[in-house]
Amino acid sequence: TDDQAPWALKASGYAQAHTPNMDRLAREGAYLPNSFTVTPVCSPSRAALMSSRYGSELGITDWLNHGSTKYPGEATLGLDPAIVTFPEVLAAAGYRNALVGKWHLGDLDKYHPTAQGFHYFMGFRGGGTTTDNPTLEKDGVEQQFEGMTVDILTDHALAFLEENTQRPFLLCLFHRSPHTKWLPVADEDWAPFADLDPEIPNPDYPDLDVERVKQMTKEYLASVAGVDRNLGRILEALERLGLAENTMVVYSSDHGYNMGHNGIWHKGNGHWIVKNPPEGTENVPKGQRPNMYDNSLRVPTMVRWPGVVKPGTVIEQTVTNLDWYPTFAAVAGGSIPESETVRGRNLVPLLRGEAVPGWDNDLYAEYSTKHQSRTHMRAYRTPEYKLVRDFLNPERDEFFDLKKDPAESRNEIKNPEYAPIVADLHEKIVANMRKVKDPVAQGL
């Protein structure tokens, strides 16, 4: 999904979410509560998924704004076709691959999904489309479809399943939901929320626009419900076609989302949702709140793999979207070329329930914003602490004690008690920047 918060899932403990099919995946497979993206915005996250490399290595550090006049070079950017993606590895292993939905890794033909390992594409190359009656590309031709976008994409995903029951396949169904805007949705998806007075995470946050947060929460959860309903259609089709027992289903999102948390909404390029936002600066205009909060970095993730993943498994280890490439290659029996740099780790041992001594539960993440704001945020997170450096705006540096303050509400960067930990995490940030040859590391 696009923009799904880690809390927008009843299995996470958020009772107001309407996600029976997502919860079913958690019951029938594994739930990974410490699953993260390494960049909390669309294009770099999707590039990391496809290549198992950081956006700074790929020249994709923010969402690709192909229609921008302010950044005229943006229209020519995309995921380098020379990089071997995980779909290409699976194609070489004999898989028939489809992408239905959002790509957002280059508008030009040379970046087309069918040039990056997919045999079939139906969807949109850019960052978004409408919630209903969308214009989508099918068989290389753009045309308008009638109906709800979430349903239309699922219709075409189902058609691919129907046509590929007799051979190994990879189907990536990348919905635009629950990306804003959220409405309209189908009546049945709105029904659970029509009369809801939603609980919000911190209604006492100073100057919070509570009514706006509540209305947005309802619309957002309805959009998630539309995805869930269509997930049910996919699961039903797998059973009907006799594919369920031999198909691995992975559910995740490109990044998380905030909805009033810490006074903001949106993802890593967050916006204040207070009535009188702080004054802006040269690089961060008024109303903007770029961040590396856990709600931006963490993604809802479930894996159902019959006969391998024990139902009801909870995998507590830290994993990232870099890890799916080597995992899928291992599952499919694919061979990753030795020339390719792969940053992620194979998750199969964790999925099998095997003990993996020495698993590193730290997370390194990055986000250089360049559209609504200008930042060079780099973060290092352990299960106990998180340091966020903004190398362009050092006054924005943050440090959180996650055990004492899991909501990340108190910035302890100036607290001398934490100075040794801050120094240690800073060195780890710099070491990771140098490892991936981050351009921002020059001069550090």
Side-chain angles (χ1 to χ4, degrees):
T1 46
D2 190 345
D3 283 17
Q4 187 173 351
W7 47 264
L9 173 74
K10 188 168 283 188
S12 75
Y14 184 56
Q16 293 181 316
H18 182 70
T19 54
N21 293 294
M22 299 177 204
D23 302 338
R24 173 187 170 186
L25 283 182
R27 287 195 312 273
E28 296 180 352
Y31 173 47
L32 291 79
N34 291 309
S35 178
F36 295 87
T37 179
V38 293
T39 302
V41 78
C42 302
S43 299
S45 174
R46 292 162 188 272
L49 172 68
M50 288 292 151
S51 69
S52 194
R53 300 178 71 179
Y54 287 87
S56 61
E57 299 180 86
L58 305 168
I60 302 174
T61 61
D62 204 348
W63 58 280
L64 295 179
N65 189 356
H66 293 123
S68 173
T69 55
K70 186 177 181 182
Y71 302 95
E74 198 91 344
T76 64
L77 294 179
L79 180 61
D80 187 349
I83 292 172
V84 177
T85 63
F86 84 79
E88 290 177 282
V89 171
L90 267 62
Y95 277 67
R96 177 74 176 175
N97 303 333
L99 169 60
V100 177
K102 177 171 175 173
W103 177 235
H104 208 183
L105 288 175
D107 268 8
L108 301 181
D109 287 346
K110 67 177 180 178
Y111 302 127
H112 196 272
T114 56
Q116 310 253 14
F118 291 102
H119 303 98
Y120 172 78
F121 171 66
M122 186 276 175
F124 52 103
R125 301 191 205 184
T129 186
T130 54
T131 310
D132 62 345
N133 303 326
T135 297
L136 302 170
E137 177 183 331
K138 179 175 172 60
D139 299 326
V141 178
E142 287 197 344
Q143 53 190 291
Q144 187 170 20
F145 293 80
E146 291 188 5
M148 296 295 172
T149 303
V150 70
D151 298 338
I152 294 165
L153 294 177
T154 304
D155 290 344
H156 288 268
L158 292 172
F160 176 81
L161 290 179
E162 296 271 3
E163 296 164 3
N164 289 278
T165 59
Q166 302 302 314
R167 56 181 167 186
F169 66 83
L170 162 73
L171 168 61
C172 294
L173 174 52
F174 289 172
H175 284 294
R176 58 108 33 224
S177 306
H179 193 289
T180 185
K181 68 178 187 163
W182 303 299
L183 300 183
V185 296
D187 291 345
E188 61 191 295
D189 300 328
W190 180 248
F193 310 101
D195 300 319
L196 178 70
D197 182 15
E199 294 181 10
I200 62 176
N202 48 358
D204 297 326
Y205 190 91
D207 204 31
L208 188 72
D209 191 339
V210 172
E211 290 307 310
R212 186 178 174 212
V213 172
K214 287 188 174 184
Q215 181 61 32
M216 291 169 68
T217 298
K218 292 170 61 172
E219 296 178 8
Y220 180 81
L221 291 176
S223 183
V224 172
V227 175
D228 186 87
R229 176 173 55 80
N230 279 282
L231 172 61
R233 296 174 65 202
I234 294 289
L235 298 179
E236 185 278 329
L238 291 175
E239 292 181 357
R240 173 171 49 82
L241 297 171
L243 299 171
E245 293 303 308
N246 194 35
T247 300
M248 180 188 196
V249 179
V250 177
Y251 186 98
S252 196
S253 187
D254 57 353
H255 44 71
Y257 214 71
N258 305 267
M259 192 64 80
H261 304 80
N262 295 296
I264 65 171
W265 72 283
H266 219 51
K267 48 216 172 197
N269 51 353
H271 310 303
W272 286 108
I273 192 165
V274 294
K275 295 177 182 177
N276 296 287
E279 290 300 318
T281 65
E282 180 183 358
N283 289 326
V284 182
K286 186 175 182 177
Q288 301 301 312
R289 182 41 169 107
N291 69 91
M292 299 288 267
Y293 288 129
D294 270 10
N295 274 316
S296 297
L297 289 167
R298 200 187 297 266
V299 289
T301 303
M302 293 79 71
V303 179
R304 190 182 75 175
W305 189 7
V308 179
V309 175
K310 183 179 177 182
T313 295
V314 178
I315 296 173
E316 297 284 357
Q317 287 91 335
T318 294
V319 303
T320 79
N321 56 340
L322 296 171
D323 298 331
W324 294 116
Y325 185 135
T327 301
F328 293 151
V331 170
S335 179
I336 302 172
E338 292 184 4
S339 59
E340 291 302 301
T341 298
V342 172
R343 302 290 181 193
R345 299 174 287 184
N346 179 7
L347 302 179
V348 169
L350 294 183
L351 294 170
R352 290 188 181 276
E354 300 171 5
V356 185
W359 186 271
D360 187 354
N361 287 307
D362 292 357
L363 168 73
Y364 172 66
E366 57 171 39
Y367 187 13
S368 287
T369 65
K370 63 179 181 180
H371 296 311
Q372 293 101 328
S373 61
R374 294 179 64 246
T375 65
H376 286 316
M377 296 181 289
R378 304 293 183 267
Y380 199 90
R381 183 193 189 279
T382 73
E384 295 82 22
Y385 305 106
K386 182 197 286 183
L387 176 65
V388 181
R389 292 291 198 202
D390 183 342
F391 288 95
L392 192 60
N393 310 280
E395 72 279 2
R396 300 186 63 252
D397 289 354
E398 296 172 301
F399 176 84
F400 300 108
D401 185 328
L402 299 176
K403 291 297 183 185
K404 294 181 180 179
D405 178 29
E408 300 173 288
S409 60
R410 298 187 300 275
N411 181 8
E412 303 279 10
I413 191 70
K414 295 182 179 179
N415 186 338
E417 173 187 346
Y418 293 106
I421 301 170
V422 170
D424 178 58
L425 297 187
H426 174 81
E427 290 304 314
K428 290 180 176 178
I429 286 177
V430 173
N432 276 275
M433 294 172 73
R434 290 173 175 158
K435 179 180 178 181
V436 302
K437 297 181 172 58
D438 185 343
V440 178
Q442 295 181 6
L444 294 181

